[in-house]
Amino acid sequence: MRTHEQTLELDCGKLAPTFTQRLMAAFAPLAAALRIVRNRSQVNGLHDLDDNQLRDIGLTRADVTSAFLASTFFEDPSEHLTQAAKRRRHIAVMRPYRD
């Protein structure tokens, strides 16, 4: 008795994108740019908070300033602030275990 393998090849290529998908892909860079502008505006608003309010959200005034200095105009400074807050939280959580 012999066994025989057969492979069925289906032509399952990529489907052509729909009009909506093409339209969304065309506007994606614009949406990203608007999101960056909005986030820069929001981060700029953090300068109005006092030091206690910044500490409540896990940031310092130096973090806000360095986020603007570290990011170019086309980069989102909120990512820098998120990383700074995560580092500060990690240090605060690990500090009791070091003593």
Side-chain angles (χ1 to χ4, degrees), residues 58-92:
L59 298 172
T60 64
R61 192 153 311 280
D63 293 334
V64 176
T65 303
S66 68
F68 272 107
L69 295 176
S71 63
T72 64
F73 183 75
F74 298 106
E75 288 181 328
D76 190 357
S78 64
E79 295 175 19
H80 295 282
L81 292 176
T82 301
Q83 294 304 318
K86 284 182 180 180
R87 280 192 306 272
R88 190 161 287 109
R89 184 182 66 222
H90 179 72
I91 290 169

Side-chain angles (χ1 to χ4, degrees), residues 33-85:
L34 291 175
R35 184 174 44 251
I36 289 171
V37 169
R38 183 193 66 212
N39 287 347
R40 286 187 76 80
S41 173
Q42 294 293 321
V43 170
N44 197 26
L46 292 176
H47 285 293
D48 297 337
L49 300 178
D50 64 18
D51 291 336
N52 290 329
Q53 291 170 325
L54 287 173
R55 193 176 324 119
D56 284 345
I57 59 175
L59 298 172
T60 64
R61 192 153 311 280
D63 293 334
V64 176
T65 303
S66 68
F68 272 107
L69 295 176
S71 63
T72 64
F73 183 75
F74 298 106
E75 288 181 328
D76 190 357
S78 64
E79 295 175 19
H80 295 282
L81 292 176
T82 301
Q83 294 304 318

